């Protein structure tokens, strides 16, 4: 492994910590949570503050939150992902016709990363936020992507994941995952049947680019209590059409599976 710069690594760890926290953190709390010397945490946070990567939570506060520069960098990354610009109009339409939350997620190593989230006023509200990552095996978005891969790659990704039951319905066996992905092939779309959240049912389809490879996926998440066979049939048809239309704009010429 290549040697990393300790100060830069600590600065990145601080930004990552604050991204994942739901509250502002003081320098002392940052040092304790990351197990770094307080003097190092102070020097790094002061520099990040001066460069607008951090800011105080309030004028009289000494607790930190992420600053505007982090937002600017995130937006720069989003602009580079052409798939988001192409997919969002379709996601908006899916949200309106389904009255449900619509997601677009990309691929980050062996996980999915949420790139867009469009919520209907009365739809299910999930904890997934932009930039959050999830394992592929336990999400409709992830399984839509996995179904594009040969079994060898599915096994590789599964092996790199932290396998655990998020609910009683989570698939935690590779053989069961293979069976589920085979069903995805036959249907043309993936299903997350309360596998990550017992209240949520998702339908998803992959987005491919000009190299024929999956680069993202799009999904609709509804309350399980609102699910009916007719609704699933209607939404799955719409989402497959949307995913294929987005893929066409990405230069893909085949079918989803």
């Amino acid at each position: 492994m290549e040697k990393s710069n300790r100060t830069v690594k600590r600065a990145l760890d601080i930004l990552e910590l604050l991204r994942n926290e739901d509250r502002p953190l003081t320098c002392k709390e940052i040092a304790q949570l990351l197990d770094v010397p307080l003097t190092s945490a102070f020097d790094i946070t002061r520099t990040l503050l001066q460069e607008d990567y951090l800011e105080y939570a309030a004028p009289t506060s000494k607790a930190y939150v992420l600053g505007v520069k982090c937002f600017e960098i995130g937006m720069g990354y989003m602009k580079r992902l052409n798939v988001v610009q192409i997919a969002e109009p379709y996601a908006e339409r899916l949200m309106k016709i389904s009255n449900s939350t619509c997601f677009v997620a990309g691929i980050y190593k062996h996980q999915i990363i949420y790139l867009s989230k469009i919520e209907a006023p009365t739809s299910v509200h999930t904890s997934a936020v932009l930039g959050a990552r999830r394992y592929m095996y336990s999400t409709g978005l992830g399984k839509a992507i996995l179904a594009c891969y040969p079994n060898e790659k599915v096994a590789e990704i599964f092996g790199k994941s932290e396998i655990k039951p998020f609910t009683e319905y989570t698939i935690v066996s590779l053989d069961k995952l293979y069976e589920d992905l085979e069903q995805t092939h036959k249907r043309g779309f993936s299903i997350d049947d309360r596998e990550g959240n017992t209240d949520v049912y998702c339908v998803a389809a992959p987005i491919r680019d000009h190299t024929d490879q999956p680069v993202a996926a799009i999904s609709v998440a509804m309350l399980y209590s609102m699910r009916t066979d007719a609704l699933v049939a209607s939404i799955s048809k719409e989402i497959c059409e949307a995913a294929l239309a987005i893929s066409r704009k990405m230069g893909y010429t085949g079918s989803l599976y």
Side-chain angles (χ1 to χ4, degrees):
M1 181 182 293
E2 294 183 5
K3 185 177 179 180
S4 60
N5 183 283
R6 185 170 62 179
T7 302
V8 174
K9 178 64 166 59
R10 285 176 174 171
L12 295 174
D13 287 343
I14 289 171
L15 296 176
E16 185 75 13
L17 175 66
L18 287 167
R19 184 184 76 87
N20 292 322
E21 283 291 327
D22 293 327
R23 62 185 180 90
L25 296 176
T26 65
C27 187
K28 183 177 181 180
E29 288 174 321
I30 290 171
Q32 290 173 340
L33 289 168
L34 293 179
D35 192 23
V36 300
L38 181 58
T39 53
S40 295
F42 176 78
D43 289 342
I44 295 170
T45 53
R46 183 176 58 182
T47 301
L48 292 172
L49 181 69
Q50 291 171 345
E51 298 298 323
D52 294 328
Y53 287 94
L54 296 182
E55 58 187 49
Y56 290 127
T60 58
S61 171
K62 291 298 181 182
Y64 296 102
V65 294
L66 293 179
V68 67
K69 278 289 183 65
C70 293
F71 174 77
E72 291 173 353
I73 288 176
M75 290 305 295
Y77 178 78
M78 293 287 283
K79 288 178 182 177
R80 187 175 64 82
L81 295 170
N82 192 40
V83 65
V84 176
Q85 297 174 0
I86 295 173
E88 281 198 331
Y90 293 92
E92 286 274 3
R93 180 178 180 277
L94 284 169
M95 178 273 290
K96 290 176 181 176
I97 63 177
S98 66
N99 196 32
S100 299
T101 300
C102 187
F103 292 98
V104 177
I107 301 169
Y108 179 82
K109 297 181 179 179
H110 56 281
Q111 297 177 298
I112 60 164
I113 180 169
Y114 289 99
L115 303 176
S116 179
K117 177 182 181 180
I118 301 175
E119 292 182 326
T122 59
S123 73
V124 58
H125 292 268
T126 74
S127 60
V129 297
L130 297 188
R133 301 194 293 269
R134 296 286 187 274
Y135 293 114
M136 291 191 181
Y137 72 90
S138 61
T139 65
L141 289 157
K143 291 194 294 179
I145 293 168
L146 287 176
C148 299
Y149 295 142
N151 283 352
E152 294 78 9
K153 185 161 185 176
V154 173
E156 178 187 348
I157 292 171
F158 189 77
K160 291 179 179 178
S161 305
E162 181 185 353
I163 309 302
K164 59 182 180 181
F166 296 97
T167 73
E168 62 183 297
Y169 306 102
T170 308
I171 295 172
V172 293
S173 157
L174 183 57
D175 286 338
K176 290 290 186 183
L177 181 60
Y178 285 151
E179 292 176 11
D180 188 274
L181 298 180
E182 180 62 30
Q183 290 300 312
T184 296
H185 270 278
K186 291 178 180 178
R187 287 189 303 259
F189 57 91
S190 67
I191 289 174
D192 169 0
D193 187 359
R194 300 165 290 170
E195 293 158 48
N197 184 321
T198 53
D199 295 323
V200 179
Y201 186 96
C202 298
V203 178
I207 297 169
R208 296 177 184 255
D209 68 3
H210 65 283
T211 67
D212 295 354
Q213 294 301 306
V215 292
I218 188 168
S219 75
V220 168
M222 68 188 84
L223 284 170
Y224 181 78
S225 59
M226 302 296 291
R227 177 211 170 278
T228 65
D229 289 344
L231 180 60
V232 172
S234 173
I235 290 177
S236 62
K237 180 177 182 295
E238 294 286 350
I239 206 163
C240 287
E241 289 177 356
L244 191 56
I246 297 164
S247 298
R248 291 281 184 264
K249 291 191 174 183
M250 297 285 291
Y252 180 60
T253 58
S255 58
L256 289 181
Y257 292 115

